[in-house]
Amino acid sequence: MTITNIEEALEASFFLPYSLGALALLCTCVYVTSVARWVLTWRKNEQCGNDKKKRTPVSVVIALHNEEKNVGKMLKSLMEQTETIDEVVLVADHCTDGTESIIKGIIEENRHFNAKIVRNEGDAGKKNAQRLGVSETRNEYVAVIDGDCEAERHWYETMSTTLAEKEPDMLIMPVRMKANNGSIAQELMELEFVSLQLSTAATAMDGHPTMCNGANMAFKKEVYMRHDSRLKYASGDDMFLLSAIKQNGGRIEYLKSDNAAVETTCPNGIKAYYYQRTRWLRKATGYTDKDVKKLAMTVAFGNAAWPTMIILTAIGTGWIGLGCFILKTVSEMILLWQGRDVWQHKWNVVYIIMLALAYPFVLLSIAILTIFRDKKKW
């Protein structure tokens, strides 16, 4: 090796670690800047009340597939609302358990409950069942929740008030996913879901909505019925509807209120968690919204930055990777602190650090498993 080659090798060994570290730091700063903007947006928007006199009637649609364990609690929460729900449409989608018989029994025992059952005889899938249910409604506005959720007592009142006041094409509302078996895994799942919900809320309130959750949202019936539903995907009507409304210049609002939340439980185990997340990600190939893609890239780069600490440590600049991890984790702690009132989650520093350490690898494994996921399954 010549002296020139040796000098070039030494120069490369000096600049490569710092170049890689600078890239990791840049990605982290972009992510942290986004999180800071979410925090500021969340803080400057007040919670919506339900003290207005003006209301608008809303039809509630629930698509159900083998929900015999949950449907009773869900219907009970709807019957105990502070305002009587104008119309409830329950769509049985090829159920093979006791879901339909439970629904019929509850409706017969509660004649005052404005509910009816519709059976989906067509192609199976939540999307098809939900569209059938929406087509059967009579009101301008339709709300959808999932069969395994329970609504807060003021849910319908708060929602109908906000719809009357704002008159949006879509109203996004909070979803709580609560740990129920005391496991650390579920505690981490709950924290991760709260972070998703907070970014959903903040981007919507900032005028650039990127996500919504079909477990709790409302929309204009005519807007829903004319949008491209992407029938090759069994689910995902929520996100495709959001994208269609944005493309057509429609109004999308977020309802910041603990009274407007619905609650479900975390997946019961790692396998169920991966099944849920791969179902959500499988339809991502159908997303064309630039805001969604920008958010996905920001989160991906933010989570990919700190694992470079392993490489940076091996080449002598691990302090840069450690700095990236600290910046990212502190910003997420601040974000999760903001949502305590609405999502009522445990703010645990140890759990937040554990989630920050594991999440980059969780994201990677979800992406790999999604490749083998069937789009047509619930």
Side-chain angles (χ1 to χ4, degrees):
M1 180 180 290
T2 65
I3 293 177
T4 302
N5 289 337
I6 293 173
E7 289 176 346
E8 290 176 351
L10 289 172
E11 188 176 332
S13 67
F14 178 79
F15 285 109
L16 179 61
Y18 289 98
S19 298
L20 185 59
L23 180 60
L25 187 59
L26 176 62
C27 291
T28 302
C29 288
V30 169
Y31 176 79
V32 170
T33 301
S34 295
V35 173
R37 183 169 181 171
W38 300 339
V39 169
L40 292 173
T41 301
W42 178 262
R43 288 178 63 85
K44 76 179 182 182
N45 284 270
E46 298 293 331
Q47 279 214 43
C48 298
N50 60 341
D51 55 350
K52 305 287 193 306
K53 298 296 182 183
K54 191 177 180 182
R55 303 266 193 272
T56 191
V58 184
S59 298
V60 179
V61 173
I62 307 103
L64 300 157
H65 174 71
N66 292 348
E67 291 285 1
E68 63 179 5
K69 294 180 180 179
N70 302 304
V71 69
K73 293 184 292 184
M74 183 270 296
L75 290 176
K76 185 173 183 290
S77 74
L78 296 184
M79 288 187 288
E80 293 178 347
Q81 292 292 302
T82 54
E83 293 280 338
T84 302
I85 299 177
D86 188 71
E87 179 185 38
V88 178
V89 180
L90 302 153
V91 187
D93 182 46
H94 300 268
C95 296
T96 56
D97 63 358
T99 299
E100 284 191 65
S101 60
I102 292 172
I103 295 171
K104 290 175 182 177
I106 291 173
I107 292 176
E108 289 175 3
E109 291 175 7
N110 300 271
R111 299 289 183 178
H112 65 283
F113 187 46
N114 304 319
K116 66 179 181 180
I117 304 173
V118 177
R119 182 177 290 153
N120 178 25
E121 303 285 3
D123 293 337
K126 181 180 179 181
K127 186 188 300 290
N128 291 314
Q130 185 170 285
R131 290 185 74 80
L132 172 62
V134 173
S135 70
E136 294 284 328
T137 59
R138 62 171 178 255
N139 291 310
E140 177 188 13
Y141 278 106
V142 177
V144 292
I145 66 172
D146 281 353
D148 60 352
C149 290
E150 295 177 66
E152 287 283 348
R153 290 191 69 248
H154 293 275
W155 173 75
Y156 184 77
E157 180 183 1
T158 307
M159 171 181 59
S160 63
T161 296
T162 304
L163 289 171
E165 179 185 359
K166 304 284 190 180
E167 298 183 347
D169 294 290
M170 172 186 276
L171 184 65
I172 305 169
M173 295 179 283
V175 180
R176 296 187 193 124
M177 186 176 283
K178 305 299 289 184
N180 67 339
N181 65 7
S183 71
I184 293 177
Q186 279 205 347
E187 296 288 351
L188 299 181
M189 290 176 201
E190 181 180 342
L191 282 174
E192 181 236 6
F193 189 74
V194 172
S195 68
L196 287 174
Q197 283 284 296
L198 278 162
S199 59
T200 295
T203 53
M205 290 187 290
D206 198 30
H208 299 279
T210 54
M211 293 182 287
C212 58
N213 193 311
N216 192 22
M217 68 180 196
F219 43 77
K220 287 182 177 178
K221 177 180 177 178
E222 60 91 13
V223 171
Y224 178 90
M225 295 305 297
R226 61 181 163 82
H227 96 280
D228 175 15
S229 62
R230 312 287 178 89
L231 291 175
K232 67 179 181 178
Y233 299 93
S235 62
D237 222 20
D238 47 4
M239 289 289 289
F240 295 134
L241 176 61
L242 181 146
S243 179
I245 292 173
K246 286 179 67 176
Q247 288 176 8
N248 289 283
R251 289 188 59 205
I252 299 171
E253 297 282 346
Y254 185 84
L255 206 176
K256 181 183 178 181
S257 173
D258 53 343
N259 285 327
V262 301
E263 185 172 303
T264 186
T265 57
C266 292
N268 190 22
I270 300 299
K271 182 179 179 180
Y273 169 81
Y274 273 97
Y275 190 85
Q276 182 188 69
R277 292 304 193 268
T278 53
R279 175 169 58 84
W280 291 354
L281 190 59
R282 189 67 183 91
K283 62 208 177 197
T285 54
Y287 299 157
T288 57
D289 191 313
K290 64 180 182 181
D291 289 330
V292 175
K293 293 180 178 180
K294 181 181 177 181
L295 176 65
M297 293 292 287
T298 300
V299 173
F301 283 136
N303 280 279
W306 91 255
T308 58
M309 180 171 64
I310 299 170
I311 302 172
L312 294 172
T313 300
I315 56 182
T317 52
W319 59 271
I320 298 178
L322 180 61
C324 291
F325 177 74
I326 293 173
L327 276 173
K328 175 180 177 294
T329 305
V330 169
S331 71
E332 290 170 344
M333 287 181 179
I334 296 171
L335 178 67
L336 288 167
W337 180 262
Q338 308 306 311
R340 298 178 331 281
D341 291 340
V342 172
W343 284 277
Q344 302 172 3
H345 57 285
K346 297 176 184 176
W347 191 87
N348 186 305
V349 174
V350 175
Y351 287 162
I352 294 172
I353 293 174
M354 289 174 63
L355 181 62
L357 287 168
Y359 200 52
F361 306 102
V362 172
L363 281 179
L364 178 61
S365 58
I366 289 173
I368 293 171
L369 290 172
T370 299
I371 297 172
F372 306 99
R373 173 74 198 229
D374 187 350
K375 311 185 256 209
K376 285 290 185 179
K377 291 186 177 181
W378 269 60

